[in-house]
C-alpha cells in the first residue's frame, strides 16, 4: 500500500482515506499545486490527488495562438455547432499528444481515456505509425484509385487477412458515416429491397442517409432523411424492460435478478413458457426478439434490405445485448431477404479484447462490415468489406471516391495493423480492460449512483443513475460535475447514451495497469466529491 502524504490532519485526512477505502494501493497521491492543478467548479474540500504515472516524453513548448484568441475565432468563424459540441465548461486546449497522453497549451498532462472518440487506436503520434506517414509523404501524397499504386493493394490484402471468408472485398472511404452510407446503398442494390432496421439509441453517422440509421433524437433534424429506416427496441439488459444477471458476454453482469425460469417444470403451464430453461436460451433475449418480430409484422415490407448493429453500442452508451440476440436477429433478417451489417467503427481492431472484430464475440458472420476511426489511428479513413456477390451488385453502376484509398491513408493504416500485432494491443485491451471492468464493478457496489458497468476490453460504459432501484438516468448537471472534476484531476473520458447518462471509457490501446489505477483513483475521488456535496 502506498503511503499517503497530506497537508490535512485528523478528520479531514480520515475523510480522504475513507474515500479511497476500496482502492488504497491503486495509486500514489500528490498535493495539488501549480499548473498541474486547477480547482474544480465543484465546491468541496480539496484532497490530495492521485499521482499521475510517469512519462518520459517531453512535449514542445507551446508558442502558438492564445487560448482567448482561439476561443474568439471558434465563436466568430466556426459553425456554431463546433461550439455546441465543445467538451467541458472550461475547455481543454490541446497542444500535443504522445501514446496515451495529451498536453494542453499550459503544459498540463492528461491521461486520455477517450482517444478522440475511440479513434486513436495504438497511441497518439505512435513513432512507428508517424514514421510510416512521413515516409509516404516524401514519395506520394495523393493519387486516386483510377491508377494502380502499391499502398492501396498492400493494405487491402493485409486487411482482408483479418476477416473470415467470404468477407474479402474491400472498398475504402474517408469516414464511418460514409462507410455506413455506402453499405446501405449496397444492401439495397443487392437485395432489391428498401427497408433497413437499426436499434433504438444507435448511432451510425451524420450523413443524410445515415441520419436515418441513427436512432437518437439529439442527432435528428426536422427534415426528411434516411427514408426507409426503422428501429426496433434496443435489447438493453440493464435499463430495458427485460434483463438479468447472466445475459451478456462481459466480465461484469447487471445488478438485475435473472428473469429466466428456474430449473424446474410445472407441467400444467404451457411448455413454451419454459423454453429458456429447456434450451438454455435467455428469456430477456426472447422478449427483445419478440419486439423485432413486431417490427416485421407492423412497420416494414415482407422483404427488407438490411439490419445494422454495432456489436457493442458506442455513442449509445456501450450497451451490450443478450448473448444470442445478434445470432437470432441475423437468422430472422436473412429469412426476409435482408443482409446483416456489422458496424465495427468503434468495436473493431481488437478493442473488445477477446476478438479482433466485435461480431466474432457473437458467433456470427455478417454480410458486410463497416469500419473507420481506429483503422488509421485518427487519420481520416473508413472501409466497407463485403462478399463478392454483394460487391458485384454494386459494380453495376459507377461510384467514385476521390480520397478513399489515398496512399498516405493506406500507408498509415497498414502500419497500424503491423503495430497492433507488434505491440499486442488486443491482449492489452483484454487484460487492462478486464481489470478496469472488475474494479469499476466494485465501485458500482460502493456508490448508489453507479447503476451499471459493462463492456469488453477497452470498450467500457459506466451508466449513472439517480438510484439503483429506479435505474433512472443521473441528470445532466450531475453528470457534468463528475465529468469536470475527473478532467480537473487529469483524466479525459467521454459521455454517451440517449440521455447522456453513461461515461464512456475507450482509451488508446496502449494504456497500462498503472494508468488504469490512476483513473480508478481519480474517478473514485470525483464520485466521492459529488456524493459529499449532494448527500
Amino acid at each position: 500500500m502506498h503511503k499517503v502524504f497530506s497537508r490535512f490532519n485528523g478528520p479531514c485526512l480520515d475523510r480522504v482515506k475513507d474515500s479511497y477505502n476500496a482502492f488504497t494501493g491503486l495509486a500514489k497521491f500528490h498535493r495539488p499545486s501549480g499548473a498541474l492543478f486547477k480547482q474544480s467548479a465543484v465546491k468541496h474540500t480539496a484532497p490530495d490527488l492521485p499521482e499521475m504515472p510517469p512519462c518520459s516524453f517531453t512535449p514542445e513548448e507551446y508558442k502558438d495562438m492564445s487560448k482567448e484568441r482561439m476561443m474568439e475565432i471558434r465563436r466568430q468563424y466556426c459553425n456554431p455547432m463546433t461550439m455546441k459540441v465543445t467538451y467541458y465548461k472550461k475547455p481543454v486546449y490541446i497542444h500535443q499528444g504522445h501514446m496515451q497522453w495529451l498536453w494542453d497549451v499550459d503544459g498540463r498532462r492528461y491521461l486520455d481515456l477517450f482517444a478522440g472518440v475511440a479513434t486513436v487506436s495504438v497511441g497518439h503520434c505512435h513513432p512507428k505509425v508517424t514514421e510510416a506517414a512521413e515516409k509516404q509523404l516524401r514519395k506520394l501524397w495523393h493519387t486516386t484509385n483510377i491508377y494502380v499504386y502499391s499502398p492501396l493493394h498492400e493494405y487491402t490484402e493485409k486487411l482482408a487477412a483479418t476477416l473470415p471468408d467470404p468477407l474479402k472485398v474491400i472498398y475504402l472511404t474517408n469516414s464511418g458515416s460514409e462507410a455506413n452510407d455506402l453499405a446501405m446503398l449496397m444492401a439495397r442494390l443487392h437485395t432489391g429491397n428498401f427497408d433497413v432496421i437499426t436499434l433504438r439509441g444507435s448511432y451510425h453517422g451524420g450523413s443524410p442517409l445515415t441520419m436515418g440509421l441513427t436512432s437518437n433524437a439529439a442527432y435528428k433534424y426536422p427534415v426528411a432523411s434516411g427514408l426507409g429506416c426503422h428501429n426496433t427496441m434496443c435489447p438493453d439488459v440493464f435499463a430495458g424492460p427485460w434483463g438479468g444477471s447472466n445475459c451478456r458476454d462481459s466480465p461484469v453482469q447487471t445488478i438485475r435478478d435473472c428473469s429466466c425460469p428456474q430449473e424446474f417444470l410445472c407441467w400444467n403451464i404451457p411448455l413454451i413458457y419454459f423454453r429458456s430453461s429447456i434450451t438454455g436460451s435467455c428469456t430477456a433475449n426472447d422478449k427483445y426478439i419478440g419486439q423485432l418480430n413486431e417490427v416485421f409484422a407492423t412497420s416494414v415490407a415482407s422483404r427488407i434490405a438490411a439490419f445494422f448493429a454495432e456489436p457493442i453500442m458506442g455513442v449509445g452508451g456501450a450497451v451490450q445485448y443478450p448473448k444470442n440476440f445478434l445470432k437470432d436477429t441475423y437468422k430472422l433478417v436473412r429469412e426476409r431477404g435482408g443482409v446483416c451489417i456489422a458496424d465495427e467503427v468503434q468495436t473493431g481492431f481488437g478493442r473488445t479484447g477477446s476478438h479482433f472484430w466485435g461480431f466474432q464475440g457473437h458467433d456470427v458472420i455478417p454480410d458486410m462490415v463497416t469500419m473507420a476511426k481506429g483503422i488509421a489511428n485518427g487519420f481520416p479513413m473508413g472501409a466497407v468489406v463485403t462478399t463478392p456477390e454483394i460487391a458485384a451488385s454494386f459494380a453495376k453502376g459507377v461510384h467514385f471516391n476521390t480520397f478513399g484509398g489515398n496512399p498516405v491513408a493506406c500507408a498509415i493504416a497498414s502500419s497500424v495493423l503491423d503495430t497492433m500485432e507488434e505491440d499486442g494491443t488486443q491482449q492489452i485491451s483484454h487484460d487492462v480492460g478486464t481489470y478496469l471492468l472488475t474494479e469499476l464493478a466494485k465501485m458500482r457496489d460502493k456508490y448508489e449512483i453507479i447503476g451499471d458497468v459493462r463492456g469488453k476490453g477497452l470498450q467500457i460504459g459506466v451508466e449513472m443513475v439517480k438510484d439503483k432501484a429506479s435505474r433512472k438516468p443521473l441528470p445532466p448537471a450531475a453528470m457534468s460535475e463528475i465529468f469536470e472534476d475527473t478532467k480537473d484531476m487529469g483524466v479525459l473520458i467521454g459521455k454517451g447514451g440517449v440521455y447522456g447518462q453513461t461515461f464512456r471509457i475507450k482509451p488508446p490501446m496502449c494504456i497500462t495497469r498503472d494508468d488504469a489505477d490512476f483513473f480508478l483513483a481519480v474517478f473514485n475521488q470525483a464520485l466521492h466529491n459529488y456524493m459529499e456535496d449532494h448527500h
Side-chain angles (χ1 to χ4, degrees):
M1 183 181 296
H2 297 290
K3 186 177 180 181
V4 178
F5 297 90
S6 180
R7 59 184 172 184
F8 303 115
N9 294 307
C12 192
L13 176 58
D14 292 338
R15 174 177 166 292
V16 174
K17 288 180 178 178
D18 289 345
S19 75
Y20 284 93
N21 186 48
F23 300 98
T24 49
L26 286 182
K28 296 180 181 179
F29 303 94
H30 69 78
R31 294 182 181 179
S33 62
L36 290 179
F37 178 73
K38 294 180 181 178
Q39 180 64 41
S40 170
V42 181
K43 302 293 184 182
H44 55 74
T45 305
D48 287 348
L49 301 179
E51 183 177 318
M52 189 173 282
C55 174
S56 59
F57 181 84
T58 302
E60 298 175 3
E61 182 183 355
Y62 182 75
K63 297 179 180 179
D64 297 329
M65 193 178 294
S66 71
K67 292 187 287 187
E68 293 76 17
R69 182 60 180 149
M70 281 192 283
M71 193 55 67
E72 182 182 347
I73 292 171
R74 196 175 186 90
R75 290 192 175 101
Q76 185 173 355
Y77 296 112
C78 294
N79 189 290
M81 187 58 67
T82 307
M83 198 67 213
K84 186 174 182 178
V85 301
T86 299
Y87 262 20
Y88 303 112
K89 295 176 182 176
K90 295 180 180 179
V92 179
Y93 297 82
I94 297 298
H95 164 47
Q96 194 164 353
H98 176 74
M99 302 305 286
Q100 66 269 49
W101 303 105
L102 289 170
W103 285 263
D104 68 14
V105 299
D106 297 317
R108 181 178 182 184
R109 179 160 56 107
Y110 296 88
L111 176 62
D112 181 10
L113 295 191
F114 202 32
V117 192
T119 299
V120 178
S121 48
V122 297
H124 292 282
C125 301
H126 192 294
K128 297 173 187 174
V129 180
T130 301
E131 182 182 0
E134 291 174 346
K135 183 178 178 181
Q136 183 59 47
L137 279 167
R138 293 189 190 98
K139 289 195 294 186
L140 181 67
W141 280 34
H142 175 72
T143 187
T144 73
N145 55 24
I146 63 174
Y147 304 114
V148 181
Y149 49 96
S150 177
L152 172 69
H153 303 88
E154 287 179 2
Y155 179 65
T156 51
E157 182 180 42
K158 195 178 292 185
L159 180 61
T162 70
L163 289 143
D165 289 327
L167 295 167
K168 297 295 181 182
V169 185
I170 298 165
Y171 193 97
L172 297 175
T173 67
N174 305 298
S175 70
S177 291
E178 186 182 353
N180 283 336
D181 194 302
L182 185 58
M184 194 192 317
L185 172 63
M186 293 169 74
R188 285 170 167 167
L189 288 171
H190 180 68
T191 63
N193 303 325
F194 189 66
D195 291 318
V196 179
I197 299 174
T198 60
L199 301 176
R200 291 180 196 164
S202 62
Y203 178 86
H204 296 284
S207 70
L209 280 181
T210 57
M211 282 172 64
L213 294 177
T214 293
S215 181
N216 185 325
Y219 298 95
K220 299 286 191 180
Y221 289 89
V223 296
S225 63
L227 299 177
C229 294
H230 310 266
N231 57 68
T232 186
M233 183 182 287
C234 176
D236 183 345
V237 298
F238 170 71
W242 307 289
S245 56
N246 193 36
C247 290
R248 60 196 184 199
D249 177 23
S250 173
V252 179
Q253 298 295 333
T254 71
I255 57 176
R256 298 177 68 173
D257 293 332
C258 186
S259 56
C260 295
Q262 299 299 311
E263 293 290 336
F264 63 84
L265 295 178
C266 181
W267 294 104
N268 62 343
I269 297 177
L271 190 60
I272 190 171
Y273 178 80
F274 294 98
R275 188 165 74 85
S276 295
S277 59
I278 295 171
T279 66
S281 65
C282 169
T283 294
N285 182 62
D286 294 345
K287 295 287 190 181
Y288 290 117
I289 290 295
Q291 291 294 308
L292 176 61
N293 278 316
E294 285 287 319
V295 173
F296 288 140
T298 62
S299 303
V300 296
S302 60
R303 306 286 289 176
I304 66 171
F307 169 78
F308 267 84
E310 298 171 279
I312 299 174
M313 276 192 178
V315 176
V319 176
Q320 289 182 281
Y321 325 127
K323 294 170 186 174
N324 289 322
F325 179 79
L326 284 188
K327 182 179 286 189
D328 292 347
T329 297
Y330 277 25
K331 180 177 182 293
L332 293 173
V333 168
R334 285 167 174 156
E335 286 174 356
R336 286 157 179 79
V339 298
C340 301
I341 302 170
D343 180 338
E344 294 273 1
V345 169
Q346 295 196 32
T347 50
F349 298 95
R351 180 163 287 279
T352 63
S354 62
H355 300 86
F356 198 76
W357 299 106
F359 67 79
Q360 293 171 315
H362 294 270
D363 193 25
V364 296
I365 297 180
D367 303 294
M368 275 191 267
V369 181
T370 59
M371 58 194 74
K373 290 189 180 288
I375 191 173
N377 205 45
F379 195 88
M381 192 178 191
V384 179
V385 185
T386 190
T387 67
E389 292 75 19
I390 294 174
S393 299
F394 180 52
K396 292 175 183 176
V398 175
H399 186 281
F400 180 68
N401 186 315
T402 301
F403 295 103
N406 172 281
V408 177
C410 288
I412 291 173
S414 185
S415 177
V416 166
L417 284 180
D418 293 342
T419 301
M420 286 176 172
E421 184 175 357
E422 293 166 13
D423 291 3
T425 55
Q426 184 177 328
Q427 190 64 46
I428 291 171
S429 292
H430 177 271
D431 295 345
V432 180
T434 300
Y435 174 69
L436 272 170
L437 283 160
T438 303
E439 294 300 315
L440 285 166
K442 295 176 185 177
M443 212 178 290
R444 175 199 61 191
D445 297 339
K446 177 181 177 181
Y447 291 106
E448 179 67 11
I449 59 172
I450 298 182
D452 196 28
V453 172
R454 53 181 176 256
K456 283 181 66 178
L458 293 175
Q459 178 91 339
I460 297 172
V462 180
E463 182 156 346
M464 308 300 291
V465 295
K466 289 182 177 179
D467 58 81
K468 287 182 169 67
S470 70
R471 302 197 302 273
K472 291 181 178 179
L474 193 67
M479 290 291 294
S480 180
E481 281 191 31
I482 299 166
F483 194 55
E484 295 274 345
D485 210 15
T486 301
K487 177 260 294 182
D488 287 347
M489 287 188 277
V491 180
L492 306 180
I493 57 177
K495 286 192 287 187
V498 173
Y499 306 102
Q501 79 279 24
T502 302
F503 290 122
R504 300 165 64 197
I505 301 156
K506 303 175 182 187
M509 296 182 286
C510 57
I511 67 165
T512 67
R513 267 284 285 267
D514 286 345
D515 300 332
D517 286 341
F518 173 65
F519 160 69
L520 289 165
V522 164
F523 191 53
N524 181 67
Q525 185 62 48
L527 293 169
H528 172 80
N529 293 342
Y530 175 81
M531 296 299 290
E532 183 180 70
D533 292 339
H534 295 274
H535 296 79

